[in-house]
Amino acid sequence: MLLEVEGLCVNYGRIEAIRDISFGVPENSVVTLIGANGAGKTTTMKTVSGLHPVRAGKIVFDGEDITNMAAHKRVELGIGQAPEGRGVFPGMSVMENLEMGAYFRKDRKVTVPKDLERVFTLFPRLKERASQAAGTMSGGEQQMLAIGRALMGRPKLLLLDEPSMGLAPKLIAQIFAIIREIHGQGVTILLVEQNAAQALKTADHAYILETGEIVRDGSGSDLAADDSIRAAYLGGD
Ligand code: ATP
């Protein structure tokens, strides 16, 4: 397993947002956490990336216990993230945002040009808009930039928090195609989504979160074919 989460509990004050969840992300896989609003998806992501403390449980990445490790150290170890709501630096240009994604790399003089080329190949729009202020880009473009910025750090594990949020159906399909392409390049992906249909299509394995607990898990295709999952998460179609 590249990422192992065991018995994770996370609180906001006295509110138990995550209760004793365990899941694993095997190397080279796409794993998705699916759940309704408030299920605890974002909290789980923030805890894995080190932006929120753990109340109980353990997080192991690449064989190392990272449960209490600072967020920036996790980035250096190879955990990259494109956060919910994009989180790009609005006043900086597209190019500056991408460069920020590589700021911690010691070899960046060598890697940045290569990695920029990779990102621009995945997202030609970002190349066209390289000098535009990130805050003036459309929602879809900002999502692409957030993913591109995370890739600039050459992550082993990419955390994607609701990449399809707020996007038109055509753009959603495009974002998921790019996620599959990034996976094809050897990046392991943990994907959090409300868009269960697309996420199950893309994922090797899926976990269903309900009010802070994992209630089901299975292969993406098995869950997509399951009647109760279809009724609850796929609008019954
Ligand atoms: P969404 O898809 O709506 O973002 P989510 O599955 O990502 O939902 P979380 O944002 O992780 O859910 O929230 C899980 C629970 O924790 C919710 O009940 C939420 O109200 C609560 N919560 C989240 N952030 C805070 C906070 N800063 N303070 C108090 N409670 C919080």
Side-chain angles (χ1 to χ4, degrees), residues 12-13 15-18 35-44 46 52 84 161-162 165 192 194 209 212:
Y12 292 101
I15 299 169
E16 293 182 312
I18 298 293
N37 278 319
K41 306 181 298 296
T42 297
T43 302
T44 305
K46 282 188 176 161
H52 204 278
E84 187 183 23
D161 193 351
E162 300 212 25
M165 191 171 59
V192 152
Q194 272 195 64
L209 259 184

Side-chain angles (χ1 to χ4, degrees), residues 83-194:
E84 187 183 23
R86 313 0 172 176
V88 299
F89 303 112
M92 291 169 88
S93 70
V94 166
M95 184 62 99
E96 287 163 343
N97 267 274
L98 292 174
E99 285 167 356
M100 285 299 282
Y103 80 96
F104 67 91
R105 293 192 62 89
K106 293 187 180 67
D107 54 355
R108 61 180 176 269
K109 281 220 167 72
V110 182
T111 59
V112 163
K114 280 191 205 150
D115 293 344
L116 275 175
E117 202 179 305
R118 174 188 183 204
V119 170
F120 287 152
T121 306
L122 280 168
F123 303 108
R125 177 64 59 89
L126 296 183
K127 191 172 186 177
E128 292 162 27
R129 303 294 174 97
S131 58
Q132 186 172 327
T136 63
M137 304 267 283
S138 74
E141 290 165 347
Q142 289 190 34
Q143 184 58 66
M144 292 172 189
L145 179 56
I147 297 173
R149 188 181 58 185
L151 288 175
M152 291 298 291
R154 293 200 180 179
K156 289 182 201 155
L157 174 68
L158 178 61
L159 307 177
L160 295 174
D161 193 351
E162 300 212 25
S164 76
M165 191 171 59
L167 303 185
K170 203 173 143 195
L171 259 185
I172 293 177
Q174 198 183 334
I175 286 280
F176 275 93
I178 289 166
I179 292 170
R180 286 190 279 269
E181 199 172 332
I182 293 168
H183 173 232
Q185 293 178 358
V187 181
T188 305
I189 294 173
L190 177 58
L191 169 70
V192 152
E193 261 300 338
Q194 272 195 64

